[in-house]
Amino acid sequence: LNRVGQGPCRPHSPPCTNAHPRTNAFDKIDQSFVRQLPHDAESVAIVMAIITMGGGLGMTTTVEGVETAEQFDFSVTEGCDTIQGYLIGRPLKRADFAKLVGKDHDALTSLFAA
């Protein structure tokens, strides 16, 4: 399933989610749900349900748009597999990422090993 919650669903249009049977990935819970975490009860319920459903299907889950420590903590606590967002880092060009990894590879490894 891809981009859960992203974009409108309309009759006779492509579905809001796409199955990826080969990757078994529950790819990206849209940031529109994440923005109000953990304070909005509906957003909490939706994100928890998506993470639970993905886990129950043996799929990995990625939450996108994490910008605060509270959103990060919520995502980790609820069992999300991967977290993306400005709290983790801004998008980088390939060369800049290579420099970052080359300079501080041990720090990155220990950060994401937890």
Side-chain angles (χ1 to χ4, degrees):
L1 301 175
N2 189 28
R3 307 290 294 182
V4 175
Q6 194 262 341
C9 289
R10 288 175 256 167
H12 310 295
S13 68
C16 290
T17 59
N18 298 312
H20 292 284
R22 291 193 175 113
T23 61
N24 286 330
F26 204 67
D27 186 35
K28 296 192 182 181
I29 299 168
D30 191 70
Q31 65 181 335
S32 63
F33 297 122
V34 177
R35 282 188 193 114
Q36 298 178 17
L37 291 177
H39 306 291
D40 179 67
E42 288 182 2
S43 294
V44 166
I46 290 168
V47 171
M48 287 174 62
I50 294 168
I51 292 170
T52 300
M53 183 170 52
L57 294 170
M59 300 172 146
T60 59
T61 53
T62 299
V63 65
E64 71 174 4
V66 174
E67 297 181 0
T68 69
E70 287 180 311
Q71 294 166 346
F72 180 88
D73 292 343
F74 175 87
S75 300
V76 170
T77 299
E78 294 305 318
C80 192
D81 299 298
T82 308
I83 298 171
Q84 294 179 343
Y86 288 159
L87 182 68
I88 305 299
R90 300 268 179 184
L92 296 172
K93 293 180 181 179
R94 186 179 306 195
D96 293 334
F97 180 73
K99 289 178 189 175
L100 176 67
V101 172
K103 285 183 179 176
D104 205 9
H105 183 265
D106 292 337
L108 288 174
T109 301
S110 64
L111 175 64
F112 294 106

